[in-house]
Amino acid sequence: MAEPGRAAVAAPRDGAGPAPRLDDGEVAARIARIDELLEKVQIAPGPMAQTAVDAVRTLTEVYGEALARVLDHADAAVARRLAEDELLGHLLVLHDLHPEPPERRAARAVERLRPAVQERGGDVALDGVEGPVARVRLRTGGCGSGCGSASSGVEEAVREAVLAAAPELTAVEAVPETQSRPPAFVPVDSLLRRPAQSQGAT
C-alpha cells in the first residue's frame, strides 16, 4: 500500500528510464496551472482548503532548502549556469536564493524580450534601476512609447517579465526618449563584467 502523501511528491512513472523532460513552454503552462489551482484552493470553503494551502507551503519550503543545499555544493560557474536557466532562476528568486542582483536579472529579462519587440519595428532596453523601480526605454513600431494599445501591450509584457525576474522591484516605468540618460542602452554583457580593480587604491 502506498505511503500516505507519497503521491503528492512523486510523479507517476511508467516503465524504466529517466522521467520525460519538459520544454520551457510546457513548464510555463504548468506554472500557470499551479497558480490557477492555488487560487481555487484559497477561496474554497472549509478547513481542508487551509490544510491544502499549508501542505503546499510546507512542501515549497522543503524544496527551497534543497535548492539552498545544491548551491552550497556549487562553485561560482555552476551557480551562474543554474541562475541562467529560466525555470531554476525562477525558483531561486522564489526562495530568495538568486546569486545575481535585481538590476542584472531585470536587464536579462528585458534582453529576452528585445528581439520580439525589434521584429515589430520597435526596441526596448533597461535604462537603469532606481531603488525599487526599474526604468525602461520603449519604442514601439517607430511611434514612441505613447502610441496606443500596441505600446500598452508591450509595456505590460515588459513589466510582467521584469517583475517576475526581480520581484524585489515594485514597479517598471517607461522612460520617454527625451528623458533617457546615456548610455542609450545597458547591454547585459556590461552588467556581467566585473569592474576592474582600481590601481593604487588606498
Side-chain angles (χ1 to χ4, degrees):
M1 187 172 181
E3 179 182 344
R6 173 66 72 180
V9 296
R13 297 272 303 279
D14 294 328
R21 303 294 297 273
L22 304 176
D23 62 30
D24 288 344
E26 292 170 323
V27 169
R30 280 162 173 76
I31 291 174
R33 179 61 174 160
I34 289 171
D35 289 340
E36 178 185 339
L37 292 172
L38 286 176
E39 287 178 3
K40 290 181 178 179
V41 169
Q42 288 173 337
I43 64 175
M48 288 305 297
Q50 185 59 48
T51 300
V53 171
D54 289 343
V56 171
R57 182 180 296 112
T58 303
L59 183 61
T60 301
E61 290 173 353
V62 172
Y63 284 165
E65 174 61 20
L67 277 173
R69 295 187 184 193
V70 168
L71 290 180
D72 286 343
H73 294 287
D75 59 26
V78 172
R80 184 173 62 251
R81 290 181 63 187
L82 293 175
E84 290 173 354
D85 180 275
E86 187 171 356
L87 174 58
L88 291 175
H90 174 81
L91 294 176
L92 291 172
V93 167
L94 176 66
H95 294 286
D96 197 23
L97 296 170
H98 206 290
E100 295 178 337
E103 183 170 5
R104 190 174 299 173
R105 284 181 267 134
R108 181 176 290 113
V110 171
E111 285 295 320
R112 284 175 174 168
L113 287 177
R114 195 175 182 192
V117 177
Q118 289 176 329
E119 285 181 0
R120 292 164 175 78
D123 207 351
V124 62
L126 183 71
D127 195 62
V129 172
E130 297 180 357
V133 178
R135 294 163 58 88
V136 298
R137 288 201 296 116
L138 178 63
R139 174 172 54 82
T140 304
C143 58
S145 61
C147 51
S149 60
S151 176
S152 298
V154 175
E155 284 187 26
E156 180 62 18
V158 171
R159 187 189 71 83
E160 291 181 359
V162 168
L163 295 183
E168 303 95 326
L169 304 178
T170 59
V172 178
E173 295 181 354
V175 181
E177 292 289 334
T178 56
Q179 294 183 15
S180 296
R181 59 180 186 274
F185 289 97
V186 181
V188 170
D189 57 356
S190 70
L191 294 173
L192 296 178
R193 289 196 294 267
R194 294 180 178 273
Q197 294 287 340
S198 57
Q199 298 297 323
T202 56

Short mmCIF file of all heavy atoms in Angstrom, two decimals, residues 59-65 67-68 90-98:
data_model
loop_
_atom_site.label_atom_id
_atom_site.label_comp_id
_atom_site.label_asym_id
_atom_site.label_seq_id
_atom_site.Cartn_x
_atom_site.Cartn_y
_atom_site.Cartn_z
N LEU A 59 5.71 22.05 1.58
CA LEU A 59 6.45 21.38 0.52
C LEU A 59 7.39 22.35 -0.19
O LEU A 59 8.54 22.02 -0.50
CB LEU A 59 5.47 20.75 -0.47
CG LEU A 59 6.07 19.94 -1.62
CD1 LEU A 59 6.85 18.75 -1.09
CD2 LEU A 59 4.96 19.48 -2.56
N THR A 60 6.91 23.58 -0.43
CA THR A 60 7.73 24.59 -1.07
C THR A 60 8.94 24.95 -0.22
O THR A 60 10.05 25.13 -0.73
CB THR A 60 6.88 25.85 -1.34
OG1 THR A 60 5.77 25.51 -2.17
CG2 THR A 60 7.71 26.93 -2.03
N GLU A 61 8.75 25.02 1.09
CA GLU A 61 9.87 25.32 1.98
C GLU A 61 10.92 24.22 1.92
O GLU A 61 12.14 24.50 1.95
CB GLU A 61 9.36 25.48 3.41
CG GLU A 61 8.53 26.75 3.63
CD GLU A 61 7.90 26.78 5.00
OE1 GLU A 61 8.01 25.77 5.74
OE2 GLU A 61 7.30 27.82 5.36
N VAL A 62 10.49 22.96 1.86
CA VAL A 62 11.43 21.84 1.78
C VAL A 62 12.21 21.90 0.47
O VAL A 62 13.44 21.72 0.45
CB VAL A 62 10.69 20.49 1.93
CG1 VAL A 62 11.64 19.33 1.65
CG2 VAL A 62 10.12 20.36 3.33
N TYR A 63 11.52 22.16 -0.64
CA TYR A 63 12.21 22.27 -1.91
C TYR A 63 13.18 23.46 -1.91
O TYR A 63 14.25 23.40 -2.50
CB TYR A 63 11.19 22.42 -3.06
CG TYR A 63 10.50 21.14 -3.44
CD1 TYR A 63 9.35 21.14 -4.22
CD2 TYR A 63 11.00 19.90 -3.03
CE1 TYR A 63 8.72 19.95 -4.58
CE2 TYR A 63 10.37 18.71 -3.38
CZ TYR A 63 9.24 18.74 -4.16
OH TYR A 63 8.62 17.57 -4.51
N GLY A 64 12.80 24.54 -1.24
CA GLY A 64 13.70 25.68 -1.13
C GLY A 64 14.97 25.34 -0.38
O GLY A 64 16.07 25.74 -0.78
N GLU A 65 14.83 24.57 0.69
CA GLU A 65 16.01 24.14 1.43
C GLU A 65 16.88 23.22 0.58
O GLU A 65 18.12 23.30 0.62
CB GLU A 65 15.58 23.40 2.71
CG GLU A 65 16.71 22.78 3.51
CD GLU A 65 17.73 23.79 4.01
OE1 GLU A 65 17.41 25.00 4.08
OE2 GLU A 65 18.87 23.36 4.31
N LEU A 67 17.20 23.39 -2.69
CA LEU A 67 17.92 24.25 -3.63
C LEU A 67 19.09 24.96 -2.94
O LEU A 67 20.17 25.10 -3.51
CB LEU A 67 16.96 25.30 -4.20
CG LEU A 67 16.09 24.87 -5.38
CD1 LEU A 67 15.09 25.97 -5.70
CD2 LEU A 67 16.95 24.58 -6.60
N ALA A 68 18.86 25.40 -1.71
CA ALA A 68 19.93 26.07 -0.97
C ALA A 68 21.11 25.13 -0.77
O ALA A 68 22.28 25.53 -0.87
CB ALA A 68 19.41 26.57 0.37
N HIS A 90 13.80 31.12 -11.81
CA HIS A 90 12.51 31.46 -11.20
C HIS A 90 12.42 30.88 -9.79
O HIS A 90 11.98 31.57 -8.86
CB HIS A 90 11.38 30.91 -12.08
CG HIS A 90 10.02 31.07 -11.48
ND1 HIS A 90 9.31 32.25 -11.53
CD2 HIS A 90 9.23 30.20 -10.79
CE1 HIS A 90 8.15 32.10 -10.91
NE2 HIS A 90 8.08 30.87 -10.46
N LEU A 91 12.83 29.64 -9.63
CA LEU A 91 12.77 29.01 -8.31
C LEU A 91 13.75 29.65 -7.33
O LEU A 91 13.45 29.82 -6.14
CB LEU A 91 13.04 27.51 -8.43
CG LEU A 91 11.99 26.70 -9.19
CD1 LEU A 91 12.42 25.25 -9.33
CD2 LEU A 91 10.64 26.78 -8.49
N LEU A 92 14.93 30.02 -7.82
CA LEU A 92 15.91 30.68 -6.95
C LEU A 92 15.38 32.04 -6.48
O LEU A 92 15.58 32.42 -5.32
CB LEU A 92 17.23 30.85 -7.69
CG LEU A 92 18.01 29.56 -7.98
CD1 LEU A 92 19.20 29.84 -8.88
CD2 LEU A 92 18.46 28.88 -6.69
N VAL A 93 14.70 32.76 -7.36
CA VAL A 93 14.08 34.02 -6.97
C VAL A 93 12.98 33.78 -5.94
O VAL A 93 12.87 34.48 -4.93
CB VAL A 93 13.52 34.75 -8.21
CG1 VAL A 93 12.61 35.91 -7.80
CG2 VAL A 93 14.65 35.28 -9.08
N LEU A 94 12.17 32.76 -6.20
CA LEU A 94 11.05 32.44 -5.31
C LEU A 94 11.53 32.19 -3.89
O LEU A 94 10.89 32.60 -2.91
CB LEU A 94 10.31 31.21 -5.85
CG LEU A 94 9.16 30.67 -4.98
CD1 LEU A 94 8.02 31.68 -4.92
CD2 LEU A 94 8.66 29.34 -5.53
N HIS A 95 12.68 31.54 -3.76
CA HIS A 95 13.21 31.18 -2.44
C HIS A 95 14.28 32.15 -1.96
O HIS A 95 14.99 31.85 -0.99
CB HIS A 95 13.77 29.76 -2.48
CG HIS A 95 12.72 28.72 -2.72
ND1 HIS A 95 11.82 28.33 -1.76
CD2 HIS A 95 12.41 27.99 -3.83
CE1 HIS A 95 11.01 27.40 -2.25
NE2 HIS A 95 11.34 27.18 -3.50
N ASP A 96 14.39 33.31 -2.62
CA ASP A 96 15.36 34.34 -2.22
C ASP A 96 16.78 33.79 -2.19
O ASP A 96 17.55 34.06 -1.27
CB ASP A 96 14.98 34.91 -0.84
CG ASP A 96 15.69 36.24 -0.55
OD1 ASP A 96 16.08 36.91 -1.52
OD2 ASP A 96 15.85 36.57 0.64
N LEU A 97 17.13 33.00 -3.20
CA LEU A 97 18.44 32.38 -3.28
C LEU A 97 19.23 32.82 -4.50
O LEU A 97 20.37 32.39 -4.69
CB LEU A 97 18.29 30.84 -3.33
CG LEU A 97 17.68 30.16 -2.12
CD1 LEU A 97 17.39 28.69 -2.43
CD2 LEU A 97 18.61 30.27 -0.91
N HIS A 98 18.65 33.68 -5.33
CA HIS A 98 19.31 34.02 -6.59
C HIS A 98 20.60 34.78 -6.33
O HIS A 98 20.62 35.75 -5.55
CB HIS A 98 18.38 34.86 -7.46
CG HIS A 98 18.67 34.74 -8.91
ND1 HIS A 98 19.81 35.27 -9.49
CD2 HIS A 98 18.00 34.14 -9.92
CE1 HIS A 98 19.80 35.02 -10.78
NE2 HIS A 98 18.73 34.33 -11.07
#
